[in-house]
């Protein structure tokens, strides 16, 4: 499928950047498949300074130069430890949205057009110096007419068209790129769909506002976590206005310590807040790096930026529990069964190799004290195994694992002694508290009964569908490559025996007709020919019988 004419100019820009950073082989493949406009890659040797860079560095710089769509792609890839090696992830994590600011007059025009009112009627004060500029939007400080301090996010002009153009190009060349990365456990089509969904949500600030409202409801009565208020009356697709948080960013650890606040206590508040989101609501802030968390005082934190949200259901939480129990029992067979239950084991998985490495890892970490264990290290090791043995994890778990790794890093920023022990204790407390909660037990029982009843109810319909397919002769049997060598040998033996039997029958019939002919006495050679035919038939018949007996004995 070729790239449409309206995207050719952008495709050529992308191709030139890829060639510049030593990825001309990708353009060559796209040229070969005819997905895009032919780009000359004959003089595609990168400069010496680029040649001396690692693959991860070249990839990061290329994505950065290509703009917001590709920066977001890199940021998504930096969370996929199940797909990429750590050295590439470390480089992609350096990708930042910091870009040049656009004119504030343009931002004001967008605000007025979106809200449908002049800026003087909305704000009593609007600081025209942006406090941050990202690839999608720009951020300003302002004060509403009511006197409330707010933060205003304004989407960049024409950014939606650029992103949609880039996504269209990516979708067109997906099959070509998939062939290049076929040795990696990466579904390029799925990756582009994930990128597309995330970017299109980020292009509509209403999604972020709704996420924040849900999060505010979770911590409505909390004394330890605060969620800023969203001003929905002013929020549109391209403009977001939210309450300004007056606090200290978690990344400014020196200022927090200057205040004399207990950083260990703050870290524990963050862990408890995260586990409450996961276990009680299955809805959590999925971008918990220090820049997105403010410390309001020694006993209270606040979240900002709700563009990335994770969702996890009871099925996945039960899987985590079963996986952890199987690991604690050093039972790799049970681990494989648990992974099979969520369809993580693929046809390409080397199950025996996976069992051996997983058993080694369990024994390695089993007796190590929890305070000396890094959850990030363990998860990265598990992801390496999954990538190596082509085990596919559900996106829910990947997002959760990525958030846990980020949370551990944030915890260590606050408390150098922060360890897996802190998270594990809080995890077990929340998990079993939810497990023994009568309300949760009743809900789970009801769901299980409803699922069983639905399955029972569907049985007659499923039987009817199967019978209808049989009646229409629509049943198809898929033959896998199972013992195909043996099947081929059997077919060869059968074909040889049938051929010899046909030749034997033909010679016997022919010789019999010759003997029965009235001319046989007139020519002695005709008589000898008939006798020779019977002799040859005897030999062939004897060989055929011996071969049949030999095959039977071999099978026994």
């Amino acid at each position: 499928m070729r790239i449409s004419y309206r995207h050719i100019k952008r495709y050529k820009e992308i191709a030139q950047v890829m060639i510049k950073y030593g990825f001309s082989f990708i353009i060559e493949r796209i040229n070969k498949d005819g997905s895009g406009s032919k780009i000359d890659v004959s003089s595609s040797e990168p400069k010496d300074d680029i040649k001396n860079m690692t693959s991860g560095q070249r990839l990061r710089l290329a994505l950065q130069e290509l703009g917001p769509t590709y920066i977001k792609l890199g940021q998504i890839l930096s969370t996929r430890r199940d797909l990429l090696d750590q050295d590439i992830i470390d480089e992609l994590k350096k990708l930042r949205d910091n870009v040049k600011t656009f004119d504030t007059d343009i931002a004001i025009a967008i605000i007025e057009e979106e809200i449908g009112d002049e800026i003087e009627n909305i704000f009593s004060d609007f600081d025209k110096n942006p406090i941050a500029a990202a690839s999608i939007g720009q951020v300003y400080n302002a004060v509403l007419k009511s006197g409330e301090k707010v933060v205003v996010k304004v989407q960049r002009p024409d950014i939606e068209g650029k992103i949609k153009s880039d996504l269209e190009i990516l979708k067109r060349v997906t099959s070509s790129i998939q062939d290049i990365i076929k040795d990696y456990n990466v579904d390029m089509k799925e990756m582009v769909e994930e990128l597309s969904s995330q970017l299109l949500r980020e292009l509509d600030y209403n999604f972020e506002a709704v996420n924040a409202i849900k999060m505010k409801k979770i911590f409505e009565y909390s004394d330890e976590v605060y969620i800023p208020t969203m001003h929905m009356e002013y929020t549109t697709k391209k403009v977001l206005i939210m309450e300004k948080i007056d606090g200290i960013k978690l990344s400014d650890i020196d200022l927090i310590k200057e205040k004399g606040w207990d950083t260990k206590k703050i870290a524990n508040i963050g862990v408890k807040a995260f586990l409450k989101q996961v276990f009680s609501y299955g809805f959590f802030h999925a971008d918990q790096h220090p820049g997105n968390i403010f410390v309001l005082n020694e006993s209270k934190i606040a979240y900002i930026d709700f563009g990335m949200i994770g969702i996890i259901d009871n099925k996945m939480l039960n899987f985590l529990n079963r996986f952890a129990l199987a690991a604690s029992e050093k039972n790799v067979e049970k681990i494989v069964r648990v992974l099979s239950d969520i369809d993580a084991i693929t046809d390409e998985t080397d199950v025996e190799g996976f069992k051996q490495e997983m058993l080694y890892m369990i024994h390695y970490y089993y007796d190590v004290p929890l305070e000396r264990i890094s959850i990030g290290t363990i998860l990265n090791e598990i992801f390496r195994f999954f990538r190596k043995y082509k085990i596919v994890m559900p996106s829910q778990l990947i997002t959760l694992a990525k958030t846990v790794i980020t949370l551990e890093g944030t915890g260590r920023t606050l408390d150098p002694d922060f360890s897996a022990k802190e998270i594990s204790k809080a995890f077990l407390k929340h998990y079993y508290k939810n497990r023994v909660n009568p309300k949760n037990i009743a809900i789970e029982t009801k769901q299980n009964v409803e699922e069983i009843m639905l399955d029972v109810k569907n049985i007659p319909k499923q039987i009817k569908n199967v019978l209808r397919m049989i009646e229409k002769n629509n049943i198809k049997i898929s033959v896998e490559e199972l013992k195909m060598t043996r099947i081929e040998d059997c077919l060869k033996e059968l074909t040889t025996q049938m051929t010899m039997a046909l030749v034997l029958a033909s010679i016997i019939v022919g010789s019999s007709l010759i003997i029965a002919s009235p001319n046989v006495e007139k020519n002695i050679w005709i008589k000898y020919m008939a006798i020779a035919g019977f002799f040859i038939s005897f030999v062939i018949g004897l060989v055929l019988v011996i071969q049949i007996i030999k095959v039977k004995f071999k099978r026994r």
Side-chain angles (χ1 to χ4, degrees):
M1 188 184 292
R2 290 187 60 80
I3 294 167
S4 63
Y5 179 76
R6 67 182 185 278
H7 300 315
I8 288 296
K9 183 180 177 183
R10 175 58 176 159
Y11 169 69
K12 288 182 176 179
E13 291 173 2
I14 294 167
Q16 293 303 327
V17 172
M18 298 302 284
I19 292 168
K20 173 183 173 182
Y21 287 100
F23 298 107
S24 57
F25 60 93
I26 296 176
I27 307 304
E28 282 179 355
R29 183 54 191 251
I30 294 170
N31 282 348
K32 183 179 176 183
D33 292 346
S35 301
S37 177
K38 299 289 183 183
I39 303 293
D40 182 19
V41 294
S42 57
S43 57
S44 58
E45 194 72 15
K47 294 179 180 178
D48 289 340
D49 56 336
I50 293 175
K51 271 201 271 187
N52 294 330
M53 295 178 182
T54 64
S55 297
Q57 288 173 326
R58 289 187 289 113
L59 179 60
R60 172 175 61 82
L61 291 171
L63 295 175
Q64 200 163 285
E65 193 168 322
L66 287 172
T69 309
Y70 295 90
I71 288 172
K72 288 295 177 185
L73 175 61
Q75 289 172 343
I76 290 173
L77 285 170
S78 73
T79 69
R80 298 301 300 268
R81 288 170 169 80
D82 59 319
L83 302 181
L84 300 174
D85 292 328
Q86 191 60 41
D87 57 337
I88 295 179
I89 285 173
D90 289 340
E91 280 297 327
L92 294 179
K93 282 168 72 174
K94 296 175 185 177
L95 283 169
R96 292 291 178 265
D97 282 335
N98 295 326
V99 292
K100 290 181 180 178
T101 59
F102 63 92
D103 195 288
T104 296
D105 289 337
I106 295 174
I108 290 172
I110 292 170
I111 294 170
E112 291 180 336
E113 183 182 351
E114 287 291 305
I115 298 176
D117 202 351
E118 292 183 4
I119 197 162
E120 292 82 6
N121 298 330
I122 305 167
F123 306 105
S124 60
D125 181 48
F126 186 88
D127 187 350
K128 292 189 175 183
N129 296 313
I131 57 174
S135 55
I136 300 292
Q138 201 154 279
V139 187
Y140 295 88
N141 280 324
V143 180
L144 291 173
K145 284 288 187 179
S146 61
E148 185 177 350
K149 292 180 180 179
V150 293
V151 170
V152 184
K153 290 176 74 171
V154 187
Q155 194 174 111
R156 285 180 174 274
D158 305 322
I159 190 66
E160 184 174 352
K162 292 175 184 176
I163 286 177
K164 286 183 175 178
S165 176
D166 283 346
L167 290 173
E168 179 69 24
I169 292 170
L170 275 173
K171 287 177 181 177
R172 299 272 179 167
V173 301
T174 294
S175 58
S176 301
I177 298 174
Q178 186 68 59
D179 286 340
I180 295 170
I181 58 172
K182 61 186 176 183
D183 293 333
Y184 293 87
N185 190 23
V186 180
D187 187 333
M188 194 61 199
K189 185 178 179 182
E190 182 185 333
M191 178 67 65
V192 171
E193 286 299 326
E194 181 184 346
L195 171 69
S196 178
S197 299
Q198 185 166 324
L199 275 175
L200 292 176
R201 280 196 296 269
E202 289 193 34
L203 285 171
D204 188 347
Y205 285 146
N206 287 304
F207 280 102
E208 182 176 345
V210 169
N211 288 337
I213 290 169
K214 287 181 180 179
M215 195 66 69
K216 191 170 184 69
K217 192 172 182 181
I218 290 173
F219 294 105
E220 188 174 4
Y221 304 106
S222 173
D223 295 324
E224 296 181 326
V225 179
Y226 185 78
I227 306 298
T229 301
M230 296 289 136
H231 291 274
M232 295 303 292
E233 69 272 25
Y234 298 124
T235 295
T236 69
K237 184 177 180 180
K238 296 182 180 179
V239 175
L240 172 68
I241 298 180
M242 60 179 277
E243 175 188 358
K244 183 181 179 181
I245 297 297
D246 285 320
I248 303 171
K249 276 191 178 183
L250 208 61
S251 54
D252 197 349
I253 190 68
D254 293 333
L255 186 55
I256 293 172
K257 288 179 178 178
E258 279 180 24
K259 293 276 187 181
W261 294 343
D262 187 344
T263 54
K264 187 170 185 177
K265 183 179 179 180
I266 294 168
N268 286 332
I269 289 171
V271 171
K272 284 192 293 181
F274 170 69
L275 294 174
K276 179 179 180 179
Q277 295 167 54
V278 172
F279 287 106
S280 300
Y281 297 92
F283 180 88
F284 59 94
H285 193 298
D287 195 14
Q288 299 200 20
H289 67 76
N292 283 341
I293 303 173
F294 280 79
V295 182
L296 305 183
N297 56 54
E298 190 176 22
S299 304
K300 200 165 193 174
I301 63 172
Y303 292 112
I304 63 165
D305 196 344
F306 303 91
M308 288 182 66
I309 290 293
I311 297 174
I312 191 160
D313 55 28
N314 286 329
K315 179 182 176 182
M316 288 302 157
L317 290 176
N318 288 332
F319 158 78
L320 285 174
N321 182 51
R322 290 170 60 202
F323 187 93
L325 286 173
S328 66
E329 295 167 2
K330 302 181 186 177
N331 191 334
V332 290
E333 295 289 344
K334 189 182 283 188
I335 288 174
V336 170
R337 284 200 301 273
V338 171
L339 289 170
S340 295
D341 288 344
I342 59 167
D343 299 324
I345 304 288
T346 67
D347 294 337
E348 299 178 38
T349 302
D350 176 5
V351 177
E352 291 305 316
F354 172 74
K355 286 179 186 177
Q356 290 296 322
E357 289 216 45
M358 183 56 73
L359 186 62
Y360 173 81
M361 194 187 84
I362 290 171
H363 278 279
Y364 178 81
Y365 285 108
Y366 192 78
D367 294 320
V368 178
L370 275 173
E371 56 269 16
R372 292 180 56 192
I373 291 177
S374 164
I375 288 180
T377 301
I378 294 175
L379 288 174
N380 285 332
E381 191 77 359
I382 290 173
F383 281 139
R384 185 180 68 79
F385 288 164
F386 286 176
R387 188 168 63 252
K388 179 178 178 180
Y389 293 103
K390 302 192 184 302
I391 292 173
V392 181
M393 294 301 290
S395 58
Q396 287 185 35
L397 293 180
I398 293 167
T399 303
L400 180 64
K402 184 270 294 185
T403 309
V404 170
I405 292 170
T406 305
L407 183 66
E408 185 187 33
T410 302
R412 289 185 189 277
T413 302
L414 288 165
D415 177 16
D417 297 326
F418 186 85
S419 67
K421 188 175 182 179
E422 311 295 331
I423 296 180
S424 301
K425 283 166 65 178
F427 176 92
L428 291 171
K429 181 181 176 181
H430 273 77
Y431 181 80
Y432 286 108
K433 181 181 176 182
N434 279 271
R435 292 296 291 176
V436 299
N437 187 324
K439 182 181 176 182
N440 291 342
I441 292 172
I443 291 171
E444 189 175 342
T445 304
K446 181 186 175 186
Q447 289 173 344
N448 289 337
V449 170
E450 287 176 350
E451 194 172 326
I452 292 168
M453 292 301 293
L454 187 63
D455 287 341
V456 171
K457 187 179 177 181
N458 283 335
I459 287 174
K461 184 179 178 181
Q462 289 170 345
I463 293 173
K464 187 178 178 181
N465 288 337
V466 171
L467 291 173
R468 187 181 291 117
M469 289 172 72
I470 293 172
E471 184 181 9
K472 293 181 179 180
N473 198 26
N474 284 338
I475 297 291
K476 294 181 180 179
I477 299 173
S478 178
V479 180
E480 300 284 340
E481 287 190 24
L482 183 64
K483 297 184 178 178
M484 284 301 289
T485 306
R486 181 67 192 137
I487 293 172
E488 287 176 8
D489 291 342
C490 289
L491 287 171
K492 285 178 183 176
E493 290 168 1
L494 181 61
T495 305
T496 303
Q497 290 169 10
M498 287 179 66
T499 303
M500 290 178 69
L502 287 170
V503 171
L504 174 63
S506 300
I507 294 174
I508 291 172
V509 170
S511 299
S512 299
L513 289 173
I514 292 171
I515 289 292
S517 172
N519 296 322
V520 72
E521 296 297 335
K522 294 179 181 179
N523 192 327
I524 191 68
W525 292 108
I526 293 176
K527 188 175 182 178
Y528 286 156
M529 189 181 294
I531 293 169
F534 282 121
F535 178 75
I536 292 169
S537 301
F538 171 76
V539 173
I540 292 173
L542 187 63
V543 171
L544 185 59
V545 170
I546 292 170
Q547 193 175 31
I548 291 169
I549 294 170
K550 188 178 177 182
V551 169
K552 283 187 177 181
F553 272 105
K554 190 190 294 184
R555 286 177 182 170
R556 287 180 186 176

